[in-house]
Amino acid sequence: MALDQSFVGRTYPPTAPYEVGREKIREFAEAVGDANPAYVDAEAARALGHPDVIAPPTFVFAITFKAAGQVIEDPQLGLDYSRVVHGDQKFGYTRPVRAGDRLTVTSTIESIKSLAGNDVLSVRGEVHDADGAHVVTAHTMLVARAAEGE
């Protein structure tokens, strides 16, 4: 069954703050195989003009995808998560994520489309720091595959 178009524009409450830690950044950088010293060495990050280590660009996915869970789990939307695949991801940064940031995410449904019986849901996650300053906007596209025989 197609998702309800009236959900386009719906915004969900901001998440609880997520505190970005140096160790989480280091673990993530190692996991993705990125040896940029600015991710693990505060002096290297400072030499580039940052107050502390910074996170690789895709680090914020874990925070924004968790926030998109509010959309995914909204019973009124009726999304069958067992049929969902991740379609696309884009980030637009104002500044890098850095150790010590306390980030919140506000998710908004940007679009719902039906393509070949599949529902394509686009969610925008606006990430702000503790001062309310914009850090990054994440665009996540999810595809809910049509049930067999639909």
Side-chain angles (χ1 to χ4, degrees):
M1 184 162 91
L3 295 176
D4 186 346
Q5 289 287 323
S6 71
F7 278 77
V8 173
R10 181 175 285 197
T11 298
Y12 293 79
T15 61
Y18 174 91
E19 188 163 343
V20 179
R22 283 182 178 177
E23 186 65 13
K24 287 288 186 188
I25 292 172
R26 183 192 62 77
E27 289 171 351
F28 187 88
E30 286 179 0
V32 299
D34 194 330
N36 184 331
Y39 302 153
V40 295
D41 180 354
E43 289 304 316
R46 284 187 197 99
L48 295 171
H50 305 290
D52 205 332
V53 296
I54 58 172
T58 55
F59 176 87
V60 77
F61 174 77
I63 304 165
T64 58
F65 193 74
K66 184 176 180 181
Q70 294 177 91
V71 176
I72 293 165
E73 297 167 3
D74 185 339
Q76 294 176 335
L77 179 61
L79 181 66
D80 180 358
Y81 191 68
S82 71
R83 306 203 64 76
V84 170
V85 294
H86 187 243
D88 192 21
Q89 188 71 52
K90 296 177 186 172
F91 302 103
Y93 277 87
T94 299
R95 68 159 175 87
V97 169
R98 51 192 178 222
D101 276 341
R102 291 180 50 82
L103 304 174
T104 58
V105 183
T106 303
S107 297
T108 300
I109 297 176
E110 285 205 307
S111 68
I112 297 172
K113 298 176 184 170
S114 185
L115 299 170
N118 301 309
D119 287 319
V120 179
L121 177 70
S122 295
V123 179
R124 183 182 75 245
E126 296 289 349
V127 181
H128 292 87
D129 65 18
D131 295 327
H134 180 265
V135 176
V136 59
T137 299
H139 296 274
T140 303
M141 182 178 63
L142 303 173
V143 180
R145 296 170 289 121
E148 305 260 335
E150 281 190 24

